[in-house]
Amino acid sequence: MIDVKFAAPSLPQDGALGLLMAEGEGLTGLAAKADEATGGAIARAIAAAEFTGKEGSSVTILAPGANFGRVVVAGLGKMADLTDRKLEEAGGALAVGLARAPAAAIAADALTPGRAALLGYGAVLRSYRFDVYRTKQKPEDLPKLASLSILTEHPETATGSYAPLQAAARGAYLARDLASEPANVLTPAEMARRLGTLTEHGLKVEVLGPEELGKLGFGAMLGVAQGSHNPPRMVILRWDGGKNGEAPLAFIGKGVTFDTGGISIKPAGGMEDMKWDMAGAAAVAGLMTTLALRRARVNAVGLVGLVENMPGGNAQRPGDVVKSHSGQTIEVLNTDAEGRLVLADVLWYAQAKFEPKLMVDLATLTGAIIVGLGHEHAGLFSNDDNLAGRLLEAGLASGEKLWRLPMGPEYDKQLKSDIADMKNITGRPGSSITAAQFLARFVNGKPWAHLDIAGTAWATKDLPTVPKGATAFGVRLLDRFVAASYEG
Amino acid sequence: MHLRLTDTPSAPRILPDAGLTEPEEHLPDLLRTPLDGAASATRAWRRYPAIALDVRDLSPDQAARFVAEAAQGAFRFDALRTRPEEEPHRLATLEVVSTDPAFRAQWPALEAEIEGADFARRLVVEPSNRLTPATFLAHLDPLRRAGVAIEAIGASALREQGFGGLLAVGGGSVHPPVLIVLRWAGRTAPVALVGKGITFDTGGVCVKPADRMWDMRADMAGAAACAGAMLALARRRSPCGAIAVLAVAENALGGGAYRPGDVIRSFAGRSVEVVDTDAEGRLVLMDALAFAARERPAAILDAATLTGAAVVALGHARAALFANDDALARAVAAAGEASGERLWRLPIGARHREDLESAIADLRHCVPGRGQPDACHAAAFLREFVGDVPWAHIDMAGTDLAVLPDGGTGGPTGFGVRLFDRVMRDRFEAAA
């Protein structure tokens, strides 16, 4: 992770420099001084590139003079419309432009210290890489940027503002690492082992293996797990930063470390994406890490159900009936609708064990959510309008956007089974909604929200603060949600 | 269907009961049914020539929904049978039992809406060898008699005026396309209704699979909803001006069919790259929407059986709603709840619009590959053709036909007629 520091605004004498420009305004403050030092070369380059300061645009100028190797100017859009999110995106754009320099400075003298910190946050989020398995990378192909100095009038205040943002970035990095790992490495046991190391940040970690889960009667989750040689785990992460004895917030993640579909096997094309079918669990781990790192004044518990869904001699069959931890029976008509089976048991357990204030689950649950919404919004389902409203707000503020979809008895009734309490699939019409209805049957009156992140957990192209690959969707959203509503 | 408002029932009674989930039949004269069970109740009792709907315990909106759904269940299309069925359908009269003055005040509007919905259902159920772009106009006679002005822009005029989308889609069929314009003069700037009227959709060169292709005779249900809503407006002498633009074509396979990769020029003058000829609805709508926008309407509402993606997203219980105007979207969604023709808004995101960039034209009309958010893409595409007119788009691909308990499709619902009439009443007539 890039080391971000804040320093007083004096013009650097050399190196790489990042500048900001609002639309319709010229270079001001330090940026104007830098332009002056280069004899107007920066302004000339901006004019030649027809750069106007539009948001999402940037221009890179090589060796403009005054010993600067590289100057990158990022557009902010109209100053009157500037939001925190746009500053994060500008930070991301500067990080890309400055990546070839080992160290760089960004002139943020026109911004409040809190907003200056957002530039560093965006830069760090955008600079993530997963290079664990590259053995032949040439040094010249690697980004060099290791330290970033953000120039602001009040460096100490900015440093204070940056601390919780860095915590969220570290949480996001963890979630991206986990989702990026291949499934032969990241088995349920290995993921549980890695989550066990989070005690170093002050989290309490409990790991339950197949025997304990069997004793608890996790029949739905164990049915999914039984085809694989890699046995399941449930990991419970606790952060007790709030009042002693106060009911926690519960976050539940789907953690299918690889999803072949089981006996209802998936087509080969695109199956490699199923290594990140544990992105919900990864986001819960990232969120809990963030809360611990920033010493959040809240009690929270994260629960992840980790299984591998494999075909095999002992695999669950279509038509099997399993008994869930709640006691309700489920006819498994399609073994590829496994996420909801895992969540059913973990959701029920979370309520019975922790009596949480509310529950939010994250799951790469349905392909239908991609057909419904695409990749810009995750699906939001909830039994509580107030909770849904606050999640929608946190989504807009964090840039991890949600779109609410309907629920109701007309959808629930489609789950009727001929021989059990319910079946685990319906027809394709409305199938993200009926998946949510299935989960709702394992919610025992608590305020609950379900985020279907199948369309947002992985980016197929670079985004302003997310490089192509695992997005860690949910970490920043829920960190924002917790901070805005539960730490007052 | 004959409707009669009364305060005492004189026929076997259907009684809605909020507490029930399954109907309870007490032969021969009482059937208690769940609130949402009116259509199956009238279907079950079609042997009676008259049925009384006892809505005395319901609120006015609930009662209207119940009666409208009962009328849907009682809909029957026997024109093509040449000999009687073993269990004949005798149901011809629905008595509606109510003493509530508020409901009675709404009665004329409800009667007009049910007439409009029945009209739409008759259009939708017509097989595509009978209802072609050429014969569509003849089916609109009831509208003319009700005082709606009808204009048809035929193929040669469409060519002169540059309706490239409608002409491309209709090019594969021996029945050339037509743009039908219905006008109801009112005291206000008109509200424009725009309907997709594909009389049959083979998919064109990108032909559909054979299974369930027969349902594609209903691919003009959006146009039928607009026509039905115009009939309701005219019947109740709405003070509000309205114009309906029906884009009518057959998407057939043939030597004159348009191809994937073609670039066509829309009525609005923009070039559009064709990706999949089975995404034809948005191409006829782009021309109809641009035509409607030129009339400077107060708002545009369009209805179309547009995308399978809308069905995947929302199932059959709600149609998808898209809009470029939040206030209009809220009003349309509220009318959906009130009328029982329910909607759910879906987003048009920046990414959806970006996905429509074409390498050689102003935009492409859909995005290749499976699993695309095609309803959102279609809405992002259509939005390009309405200019700055407040606009709402109803993707009703999942609600045009009734869904049977076995998952198959049943008769036409008439979806959209009561929705649009309710929007007119609640949002636009107050201002007229």
Side-chain angles (χ1 to χ4, degrees):
Chain A
M1 187 176 287
I2 296 174
D3 184 26
V4 176
K5 290 195 173 67
F6 297 86
S10 66
L11 191 65
Q13 295 309 300
D14 52 23
L17 182 61
L19 305 175
L20 300 166
M21 193 174 111
E23 198 171 352
E25 296 174 32
L27 299 167
T28 58
L30 274 183
K33 280 189 192 160
D35 185 43
E36 209 173 290
T38 61
I42 297 173
R44 284 195 301 278
I46 285 173
E50 298 182 5
F51 174 81
T52 58
K54 238 179 89 181
E55 66 194 73
S57 68
S58 65
V59 60
T60 299
I61 307 155
L62 297 176
N67 290 326
F68 293 126
R70 163 188 304 257
V71 173
V72 181
V73 192
L76 292 177
K78 295 234 162 47
M79 208 59 191
D81 303 332
L82 189 62
T83 61
D84 287 1
R85 178 68 195 143
K86 286 182 191 173
L87 284 162
E88 293 171 17
E89 294 184 358
L94 289 173
V96 172
L98 297 167
R100 310 293 294 174
I106 295 177
D109 50 316
L111 301 173
T112 62
R115 288 191 141 180
L118 293 169
L119 292 171
Y121 187 35
V124 165
L125 288 171
R126 183 66 172 80
S127 305
Y128 173 81
R129 289 176 65 89
F130 186 73
D131 282 338
V132 178
Y133 299 105
R134 296 183 198 277
T135 63
K136 294 184 170 182
Q137 209 159 32
K138 294 178 192 141
E140 61 267 31
D141 292 340
L142 281 168
K144 297 188 189 70
L145 189 61
S147 90
L148 198 53
S149 174
I150 297 179
L151 310 176
T152 165
E153 297 287 352
H154 304 282
E156 277 166 29
T157 317
T159 304
S161 300
Y162 182 67
L165 301 177
Q166 189 190 31
R170 286 176 70 182
Y173 268 46
L174 170 70
R176 289 175 184 175
D177 282 345
L178 291 169
S180 301
E181 282 286 4
N184 59 332
V185 173
L186 198 80
T187 60
E190 171 61 12
M191 183 155 168
R193 187 194 66 74
R194 293 194 191 187
L195 300 193
T197 65
L198 298 177
T199 50
E200 65 174 313
H201 305 310
L203 290 171
K204 288 181 204 148
V205 183
E206 188 186 351
V207 179
L208 281 72
E211 278 177 27
E212 289 120 313
L213 296 173
K215 278 186 202 137
L216 285 167
F218 272 41
M221 177 166 159
L222 290 172
V224 176
Q226 74 191 29
S228 171
H229 291 182
N230 294 307
R233 298 285 188 275
M234 178 169 71
V235 181
I236 302 167
L237 306 167
R238 295 196 62 172
W239 170 249
D240 297 317
K243 290 196 192 88
N244 205 355
E246 192 172 27
L249 312 177
F251 300 97
I252 290 105
K254 168 183 170 184
V256 177
T257 58
F258 195 83
D259 179 16
T260 63
I263 297 294
S264 313
I265 197 163
K266 290 177 185 289
M271 205 202 273
E272 66 278 9
D273 285 347
M274 289 302 109
K275 74 170 184 180
W276 48 269
D277 208 18
M278 34 54 73
V284 168
L287 171 69
M288 294 302 293
T289 302
T290 299
L291 297 179
L293 285 171
R294 67 176 182 77
R295 300 282 176 251
R297 294 187 308 276
V298 69
N299 294 337
V301 56
L303 300 99
V304 297
L306 307 177
V307 298
E308 185 176 42
N309 187 23
M310 294 293 274
N314 190 38
Q316 165 162 269
R317 290 146 292 251
D320 284 4
V321 173
V322 293
K323 185 165 184 174
S324 69
H325 178 51
S326 74
Q328 299 177 90
T329 56
I330 304 161
E331 186 182 15
V332 179
L333 291 184
N334 186 317
T335 63
D336 194 18
E338 85 297 336
R340 64 199 72 179
L341 297 171
V342 175
L343 289 172
D345 282 344
V346 181
L347 279 168
W348 192 265
Y349 179 85
Q351 289 162 107
K353 178 84 177 178
F354 297 104
E355 295 186 358
K357 257 187 213 155
L358 56 85
M359 299 193 292
V360 179
D361 77 70
L362 301 101
T364 47
L365 206 63
T366 67
I369 203 69
I370 307 174
V371 177
L373 299 175
H375 302 284
E376 206 171 331
H377 295 89
L380 164 64
F381 302 83
S382 182
N383 63 1
D384 187 294
D385 289 345
N386 183 290
L387 171 60
R390 282 179 289 125
L391 285 166
L392 286 167
E393 270 173 39
L396 287 175
S398 65
E400 295 185 339
K401 292 191 284 182
L402 303 173
W403 192 273
R404 194 171 181 189
L405 289 169
M407 298 183 71
E410 63 277 25
Y411 296 105
D412 180 74
K413 71 182 179 193
Q414 296 174 39
L415 295 169
K416 197 170 184 307
S417 156
D418 289 339
I419 63 163
D421 294 337
M422 70 197 85
K423 56 185 182 181
N424 78 326
I425 51 153
T426 60
R428 190 148 165 81
S431 47
S432 299
I433 302 173
T434 51
Q437 294 291 163
F438 181 95
L439 297 179
R441 290 183 176 214
F442 298 89
V443 174
N444 198 3
K446 293 284 179 201
W448 157 76
H450 156 56
L451 312 184
D452 191 337
I453 61 171
T456 53
W458 195 266
T460 52
K461 59 178 184 183
D462 289 337
L463 301 173
T465 56
V466 179
K468 182 180 167 186
T471 62
F473 188 99
V475 174
R476 304 177 54 231
L477 164 80
L478 293 174
D479 179 49
R480 185 89 184 201
F481 166 76
V482 171
S485 294
Y486 296 99
E487 295 181 72
Chain B
M1 179 58 49
H2 183 60
L3 294 168
R4 189 166 70 223
L5 183 61
T6 175
D7 48 17
T8 47
S10 69
R13 212 155 43 109
I14 291 177
L15 187 66
D17 184 332
L20 285 181
T21 54
E22 302 284 336
E24 289 177 11
E25 198 167 0
H26 306 278
L27 288 168
D29 62 350
L30 184 67
L31 173 59
R32 282 155 34 93
T33 185
L35 278 183
D36 62 358
S40 35
T42 46
R43 257 197 300 275
W45 270 14
R46 64 202 174 96
R47 61 185 176 276
Y48 294 109
I51 295 175
L53 304 170
D54 189 341
V55 296
R56 282 177 286 195
D57 289 341
L58 303 184
S59 73
D61 276 350
Q62 272 181 331
R65 286 196 291 270
F66 192 82
V67 173
E69 283 162 24
Q72 181 198 317
F75 174 76
R76 190 73 182 163
F77 182 73
D78 279 335
L80 303 180
R81 294 183 198 279
T82 63
R83 46 206 70 181
E85 283 179 291
E86 246 171 61
E87 267 186 79
H89 177 99
R90 294 202 192 87
L91 185 55
T93 300
L94 290 177
E95 279 184 5
V96 178
V97 189
S98 173
T99 49
D100 178 358
F103 177 75
R104 289 178 154 255
Q106 278 196 26
W107 177 251
L110 179 60
E111 256 190 315
E113 288 176 2
I114 290 176
E115 187 185 343
D118 258 333
F119 177 73
R121 289 189 273 262
R122 276 197 302 280
L123 280 175
V124 173
V125 80
E126 278 284 0
S128 305
N129 54 338
R130 284 164 50 99
L131 185 74
T132 67
T135 64
F136 206 99
L137 205 57
H139 286 264
L140 301 180
D141 261 348
L143 286 163
R144 201 187 306 272
R145 289 198 296 274
V148 174
I150 303 180
E151 176 195 354
I153 304 175
S156 58
L158 290 174
R159 259 189 294 279
E160 275 161 31
Q161 295 175 47
F163 284 86
L166 193 54
L167 288 164
V169 172
S173 170
V174 296
H175 306 292
V178 59
L179 191 80
I180 297 174
V181 184
L182 312 173
R183 289 178 199 273
W184 173 252
R187 295 198 296 266
T188 58
V191 172
L193 308 179
V194 174
K196 169 184 171 184
I198 299 297
T199 60
F200 193 79
D201 181 15
T202 64
V205 170
C206 307
V207 69
K208 289 179 186 289
D211 188 38
R212 304 222 67 80
M213 205 205 272
W214 51 86
D215 279 345
M216 288 302 115
R217 70 178 179 212
D219 209 19
M220 33 55 70
C226 295
M230 292 296 279
L231 182 59
L233 288 175
R235 276 282 179 266
R236 43 181 202 81
R237 317 297 298 170
S238 168
C240 210
I243 164 174
V245 183
L246 316 181
V248 182
E250 183 177 28
N251 187 23
L253 267 163
Y258 74 133
R259 289 149 292 253
D262 284 2
V263 173
I264 57 184
R265 191 179 165 84
S266 77
F267 178 69
R270 299 176 77 183
S271 61
V272 175
E273 184 181 12
V274 175
V275 173
D276 183 327
T277 62
D278 194 20
E280 82 297 334
R282 66 200 75 175
L283 295 176
V284 301
L285 285 173
M286 80 179 171
D287 284 352
L289 287 169
F291 179 88
R294 229 175 42 168
E295 304 267 328
R296 303 309 306 165
I300 299 178
L301 310 171
D302 81 63
T305 48
L306 207 62
T307 68
V311 190
V312 173
L314 296 172
H316 302 286
R318 292 173 183 269
L321 164 66
F322 297 88
N324 65 355
D325 182 292
D326 289 344
L328 180 64
R330 278 193 297 273
V332 175
E337 294 300 318
S339 66
E341 298 187 340
R342 295 159 79 201
L343 307 170
W344 193 270
R345 192 171 179 189
L346 293 177
I348 305 177
R351 286 274 293 279
H352 298 133
R353 178 62 188 84
E354 285 164 24
D355 289 344
L356 299 175
E357 293 300 325
S358 160
I360 61 167
D362 293 343
L363 67 170
R364 59 181 181 179
H365 86 308
C366 66
V367 180
R370 287 174 50 80
Q372 295 291 344
D374 190 44
C376 303
H377 284 149
F381 178 81
L382 295 178
R383 186 179 59 180
E384 296 295 307
F385 298 92
V386 296
D388 55 3
V389 181
W391 159 77
H393 158 56
I394 316 292
D395 188 338
M396 50 180 274
T399 56
D400 57 327
L401 300 175
V403 180
L404 302 177
D406 67 1
T409 41
T413 57
F415 187 96
V417 174
R418 299 191 58 242
L419 169 72
F420 282 167
D421 196 60
R422 186 78 189 218
V423 175
M424 296 297 285
R425 285 199 276 148
D426 289 357
R427 183 167 176 86
F428 295 104
E429 288 178 15

